[in-house]
Amino acid sequence: MNADEVEEYFKGQIELILDAGACPLRQSSTVVQVEGRACRILRQGAVSPELLRKMTMMQILFVCTGNTCRSAMAEGIAKHRLAQKLGCTIDGLEKMGYKVRSAGTMNLAGAPASAGATAAAAERGVDLSGHRSSALTDDLIDQSDLILAMEDHHLQQVLMQCPEAADRSMLLTPQGVADPVGQPLDVFRRCADQIEQAIDQQIDERIL
């Protein structure tokens, strides 16, 4: 279908048509209804549901050193708070257009969340029992729309690996989040408080 055919078909219902020539796909367009970050397909077409999901998904990445304390808590808390604000389950976040990940600069993969992080998160209704650490990779940085680092050296590692990520990378808090590893549970609780407050601010200002 070309621009003239589109204009004739819709008979004045479209205010603007950008004519880039005839569609080479020989396939109907995909029609979607946008609701916030969620897109509901009204008509299947050239853009598949899977491709549309990937194109519209906002991925948030939290970065610390080992991905067993701070960024693990941040990932769990962010999922919990986002789900509350969106009125959905944590499992339903991707359908709402959000994916939350975390990683560590230490290249440690497969380790569980620390006992302190797990306990402090559980007090907030956040379950970290299934968390396993991931290493910070170039692909993970490339796929992320917002990268929130715990300390400046984490941010610098992100930018060293992918300088082009500078415009979507920042510290979670201006003062940074100190490492609670090896400290008593009260230190983890204060760390979780700091992370939760910062995440709520990020959700209000940049995510929703």
Side-chain angles (χ1 to χ4, degrees), residues 34-207:
V34 180
E35 300 169 345
R37 294 199 63 84
C39 294
R40 184 164 66 92
I41 294 180
L42 303 179
R43 185 183 73 191
Q44 297 269 2
V47 179
S48 69
E50 177 63 17
L51 179 57
L52 181 65
R53 186 186 69 80
K54 289 180 179 178
M55 291 169 60
T56 58
M57 185 78 65
M58 180 180 189
Q59 179 161 297
I60 303 151
L61 176 66
F62 295 97
V63 180
C64 73
T65 304
N67 190 216
T68 59
C69 293
R70 291 168 289 178
S71 61
M73 286 195 290
E75 177 185 346
I77 290 169
K79 288 177 178 177
H80 182 69
R81 297 295 290 138
L82 260 178
Q84 287 180 327
K85 287 179 177 287
L86 292 169
C88 68
T89 64
I90 288 174
D91 289 340
L93 283 174
E94 290 198 21
K95 288 186 178 179
M96 299 296 288
Y98 296 92
K99 189 170 187 176
V100 184
R101 303 281 303 274
S102 62
T105 60
M106 199 169 71
N107 200 26
L108 175 66
S114 70
T118 300
E123 293 176 351
R124 290 163 170 74
V126 176
D127 182 9
L128 297 186
S129 61
H131 175 82
R132 294 297 178 267
S133 62
S134 299
L136 181 68
T137 64
D138 293 355
D139 284 345
L140 195 50
I141 295 171
D142 287 341
Q143 293 162 9
S144 299
D145 302 289
L146 177 61
I147 302 166
L148 298 167
M150 297 297 135
E151 294 184 82
D152 188 63
H153 62 95
H154 302 129
L155 179 59
Q156 295 310 312
Q157 180 64 37
V158 169
L159 299 181
M160 185 177 73
Q161 289 185 220
C162 297
E164 63 275 14
D167 62 344
R168 47 196 168 89
S169 304
M170 64 190 71
L171 290 174
L172 175 60
T173 68
Q175 70 273 27
V177 180
D179 194 349
V181 67
Q183 300 296 313
L185 179 56
D186 278 349
V187 177
F188 279 89
R189 287 172 175 148
R190 290 195 295 271
C191 182
D193 284 341
Q194 184 184 9
I195 288 170
E196 186 170 41
Q197 291 171 10
I199 284 172
D200 281 342
Q201 184 174 351
Q202 291 288 342
I203 288 174
D204 291 340
E205 293 180 358
R206 293 184 175 85
I207 298 174

